[in-house]
């Protein structure tokens, strides 16, 4: 299988950075994690355990199926949760693939292990756009059946044309089921066009004509501003200000990101506690360019959940998964929404993101946690019917969902919540028929 992930950055003091890697989202917002009592066991909750236990008892365990996982944090390959399933590991960056300090990669692999206990795991660690593409190519060459990529690259085009999304699409076209997160950006994303209606003195107006977008959260601030390739020769900038309510001071100004071929800029800053806001500036004349502002570290005051899906979830032909809280039967408030900027639905299905919360010490929730739940389900489907193509696997997953959003297909929950037993039985029926 194939997997994808996003990259970790070192944060430096109150300056803009132009490093070589993109930023990574690994969970939902901190205040959305379950408390320790809610995540008392590494095993699945009763509902999920019952679903998968029935499949395992029937002999459907992911045998003879391979699952690839791409992650920037590495894996504890000696962990009892995954050690028996690890077939091969490889690092495509400067860090070792073996890392007991970080839990995200290990937690992702543990979810796949719980859902498909006999699947073979191929683990890849990455630290840049290029290393991510190398990892995906490696998994394709290894003929991995399913790629699980619980990562989010920011500053990429929202239409699936960027290098991260294209890599995922190519993997699908070459026969791997590619599963990606929608992202956790619904409360941390704004988009709008640089038009006469919103631009004054080269400054963009957000919601309610405010030209200041306040941010709330910790002191490590990351912000991405991106725009369309058709406007690649134009200059847009996001600025970070600190304010005491009366006076404001410029803290950081975005710089072009050189790690890809996409028109974007970013700020990475370590700042003191206080009140901060963002301002977007552009050309003297309105251009009509569509701008996207994203912060993987902070919620924004002015947001637009629409179009908030991030790469590689924006890719064509992949299975894009949103985060669904099955305990309260609601989409997670931070889970990214469609459509994509080229008007595809964006979210294909949603899956529980809290069933395996204790797989990581600080909880494991968000679309990153929902992706391996679907990845394990896909592995069981491919064991039940090895002839399924990536497109057929996606179609069966979508046809067997439970509608949990607005009636029929919608941009928030897609086709609905995945139902593992029905999906696997449907795959088996294809074999029987």
């Amino acid at each position: 299988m194939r997997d994808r992930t996003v990259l970790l950055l070192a944060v430096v003091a109150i300056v803009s950075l132009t490093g070589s890697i993109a930023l990574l989202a690994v969970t939902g917002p901190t205040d959305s994690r379950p408390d320790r009592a809610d995540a008392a066991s590494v095993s699945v909750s009763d509902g999920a355990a019952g679903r998968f236990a029935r499949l395992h008892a029937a002999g459907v365990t992911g045998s003879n199926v391979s699952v690839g996982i791409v992650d920037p944090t590495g894996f504890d390959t000696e962990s009892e949760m995954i050690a028996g399933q690890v077939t091969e590991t490889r690092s495509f960056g400067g860090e070792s693939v073996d890392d007991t300090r970080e839990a995200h990669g290990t937690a992702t692999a543990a979810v796949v292990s719980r859902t498909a206990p006999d699947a073979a795991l191929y683990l890849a660690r990455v630290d840049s756009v290029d290393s991510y593409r190398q990892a995906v190519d490696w998994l394709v060459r290894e003929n991995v059946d399913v790629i699980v990529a619980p990562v989010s690259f920011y500053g990429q085009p929202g239409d699936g044309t960027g290098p991260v999304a294209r890599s995922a699409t190519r993997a699908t076209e070459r026969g791997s089921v590619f599963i990606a997160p929608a992202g956790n950006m619904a409360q941390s994303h704004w988009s709008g066009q640089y038009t006469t209606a919103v631009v004054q003195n080269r400054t963009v107006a957000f919601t309610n004509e405010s030209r200041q977008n306040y941010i709330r959260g910790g002191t490590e601030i990351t912000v991405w501003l991106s725009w369309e390739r058709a406007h690649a020769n134009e200059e847009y900038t996001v600025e970070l200000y600190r304010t005491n309510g009366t006076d404001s001071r410029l803290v950081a100004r975005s710089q072009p990101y050189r790690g890809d071929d996409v028109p974007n800029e970013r700020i990475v800053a370590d700042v003191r506690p206080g009140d901060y806001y963002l301002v977007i500036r552009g050309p003297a004349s309105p251009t009509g360019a569509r701008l996207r502002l994203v912060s993987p570290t902070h919620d924004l005051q002015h947001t637009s959940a629409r179009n908030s899906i991030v790469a590689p979830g924006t890719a064509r032909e992949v299975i894009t998964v949103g985060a669904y809280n099955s305990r309260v039967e609601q989409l997670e408030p931070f889970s990214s929404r469609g459509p994509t900027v080229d008007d595809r639905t964006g979210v294909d299905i949603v899956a529980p993101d809290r069933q395996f919360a204790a797989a990581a010490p600080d909880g494991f929730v968000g679309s990153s946690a929902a992706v391996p739940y679907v990845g394990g389900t896909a592995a069981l489907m491919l064991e039940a019917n090895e002839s399924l193509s990536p497109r057929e696997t996606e179609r069966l997953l979508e046809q067997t969902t439970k509608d949990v959003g607005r009636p029929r297909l919608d941009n928030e929950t897609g086709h609905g919540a995945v139902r593992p037993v029905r999906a696997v039985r449907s795959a088996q029926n294809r074999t029987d028929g």
Side-chain angles (χ1 to χ4, degrees), residues 260-273:
D260 54 37
D261 60 353
V262 177
N264 56 33
E265 295 201 355
R266 70 175 179 180
I267 292 173
V268 180
D270 190 0
V271 301
R272 293 178 292 131

Side-chain angles (χ1 to χ4, degrees), residues 7-12 15-23 127-131 153-154 156 222-224 253-262 264-269:
L7 327 156
L8 295 174
L9 289 178
V11 181
V12 301
V15 292
S16 301
L17 290 182
T18 55
S20 62
I21 59 182
L23 254 171
D127 65 0
S128 68
V129 171
D130 283 343
S131 63
F153 287 86
Y154 309 108
Q156 294 283 305
T222 300
V223 178
W224 288 83
R253 180 177 289 114
S254 64
Q255 297 295 321
Y257 175 67
R258 305 301 185 187
D260 54 37
D261 60 353
V262 177
N264 56 33
E265 295 201 355
R266 70 175 179 180
I267 292 173
V268 180

Side-chain angles (χ1 to χ4, degrees), residues 248-303:
S248 299
R249 178 175 61 85
L250 177 66
V251 173
R253 180 177 289 114
S254 64
Q255 297 295 321
Y257 175 67
R258 305 301 185 187
D260 54 37
D261 60 353
V262 177
N264 56 33
E265 295 201 355
R266 70 175 179 180
I267 292 173
V268 180
D270 190 0
V271 301
R272 293 178 292 131
D275 295 324
Y276 294 85
Y277 63 83
L278 302 168
V279 173
I280 296 177
R281 304 190 192 280
S285 301
T287 63
R290 177 169 293 279
L291 308 177
R292 299 182 76 199
L293 179 69
V294 172
S295 174
T297 58
H298 288 67
D299 287 350
L300 302 178
Q301 177 191 17
H302 302 294
T303 63

Side-chain angles (χ1 to χ4, degrees), residues 275-355:
D275 295 324
Y276 294 85
Y277 63 83
L278 302 168
V279 173
I280 296 177
R281 304 190 192 280
S285 301
T287 63
R290 177 169 293 279
L291 308 177
R292 299 182 76 199
L293 179 69
V294 172
S295 174
T297 58
H298 288 67
D299 287 350
L300 302 178
Q301 177 191 17
H302 302 294
T303 63
S304 50
R306 181 180 174 88
N307 304 137
S308 58
I309 297 174
V310 296
T314 54
R316 297 176 178 88
E317 300 184 36
V318 307
I319 301 172
T320 301
V321 183
Y324 183 72
N325 188 337
S326 58
R327 298 173 185 178
V328 296
E329 298 186 345
Q330 290 181 351
L331 185 68
E332 295 283 14
F334 52 79
S335 188
S336 293
R337 275 76 161 163
T340 59
V341 297
D342 57 332
D343 289 326
R344 289 174 288 122
T345 303
V347 178
D348 294 308
I349 58 177
V350 296
D353 69 328
R354 296 173 185 258
Q355 303 285 9

Side-chain angles (χ1 to χ4, degrees), residues 57-415:
V60 184
T61 58
S63 179
N64 297 318
V65 178
S66 53
V67 179
I69 300 174
V70 182
D71 197 273
T73 67
F75 307 85
D76 181 1
T77 55
E78 299 300 319
S79 168
E80 62 180 12
M81 294 185 291
I82 66 172
Q85 291 179 250
V86 177
T87 297
E88 191 169 348
T89 66
R90 187 170 296 187
S91 174
F92 292 89
E95 300 289 337
S96 170
V97 72
D98 296 297
D99 196 334
T100 60
R101 299 168 299 170
E102 297 288 351
H104 184 260
T106 306
T108 301
V111 174
V112 174
S113 176
R114 293 298 184 270
T115 54
D118 287 331
L121 300 181
Y122 288 69
L123 310 179
R125 184 172 186 174
V126 300
D127 65 0
S128 68
V129 171
D130 283 343
S131 63
Y132 155 83
R133 294 163 67 182
Q134 293 169 15
V136 172
D137 287 344
W138 169 63
L139 293 171
V140 170
R141 290 195 304 272
E142 293 293 323
N143 293 316
V144 170
D145 300 305
V146 181
I147 297 179
V148 176
V151 300
S152 299
F153 287 86
Y154 309 108
Q156 294 283 305
D159 60 0
T161 62
V164 172
R166 292 199 307 269
S167 180
T169 298
R170 285 195 302 270
T172 301
E173 292 172 343
R174 294 171 65 181
S176 295
V177 178
F178 199 106
I179 303 172
N184 304 320
M185 296 291 105
Q187 297 169 319
S188 307
H189 168 271
W190 174 89
S191 65
Q193 288 187 282
Y194 199 77
T195 63
T196 304
V198 299
V199 177
Q200 184 177 5
N201 296 327
R202 299 192 175 195
T203 304
V204 169
F206 300 100
T207 311
N208 300 324
E209 299 185 358
S210 173
R211 302 184 185 280
Q212 301 170 345
N213 201 334
Y214 281 81
I215 57 178
R216 297 181 286 272
T219 56
E220 294 183 354
I221 297 174
T222 300
V223 178
W224 288 83
L225 177 67
S226 59
W227 54 98
E228 301 152 301
R229 292 181 187 274
H231 297 267
N233 294 329
E234 299 163 5
E235 294 185 6
Y236 301 91
T237 302
V238 56
E239 297 173 342
L240 175 68
Y241 289 84
R242 178 183 171 89
T243 181
N244 59 12
T246 303
D247 298 319
S248 299
R249 178 175 61 85
L250 177 66
V251 173
R253 180 177 289 114
S254 64
Q255 297 295 321
Y257 175 67
R258 305 301 185 187
D260 54 37
D261 60 353
V262 177
N264 56 33
E265 295 201 355
R266 70 175 179 180
I267 292 173
V268 180
D270 190 0
V271 301
R272 293 178 292 131
D275 295 324
Y276 294 85
Y277 63 83
L278 302 168
V279 173
I280 296 177
R281 304 190 192 280
S285 301
T287 63
R290 177 169 293 279
L291 308 177
R292 299 182 76 199
L293 179 69
V294 172
S295 174
T297 58
H298 288 67
D299 287 350
L300 302 178
Q301 177 191 17
H302 302 294
T303 63
S304 50
R306 181 180 174 88
N307 304 137
S308 58
I309 297 174
V310 296
T314 54
R316 297 176 178 88
E317 300 184 36
V318 307
I319 301 172
T320 301
V321 183
Y324 183 72
N325 188 337
S326 58
R327 298 173 185 178
V328 296
E329 298 186 345
Q330 290 181 351
L331 185 68
E332 295 283 14
F334 52 79
S335 188
S336 293
R337 275 76 161 163
T340 59
V341 297
D342 57 332
D343 289 326
R344 289 174 288 122
T345 303
V347 178
D348 294 308
I349 58 177
V350 296
D353 69 328
R354 296 173 185 258
Q355 303 285 9
F356 299 84
D362 58 353
F364 186 47
V365 303
S367 57
S368 288
V371 163
Y373 186 102
V374 176
T377 301
L380 300 182
M381 295 171 66
L382 291 174
E383 181 191 1
N385 184 349
E386 63 181 10
S387 69
L388 291 178
S389 68
R391 184 67 191 98
E392 290 170 331
T393 303
E394 178 180 356
R395 186 180 300 113
L396 292 180
L397 281 167
E398 294 170 348
Q399 290 175 347
T400 55
T401 57
K402 175 185 178 182
D403 195 343
V404 293
R406 290 181 284 114
R408 296 188 288 274
L409 182 66
D410 64 75
N411 294 324
E412 292 77 35
T413 62
H415 291 267

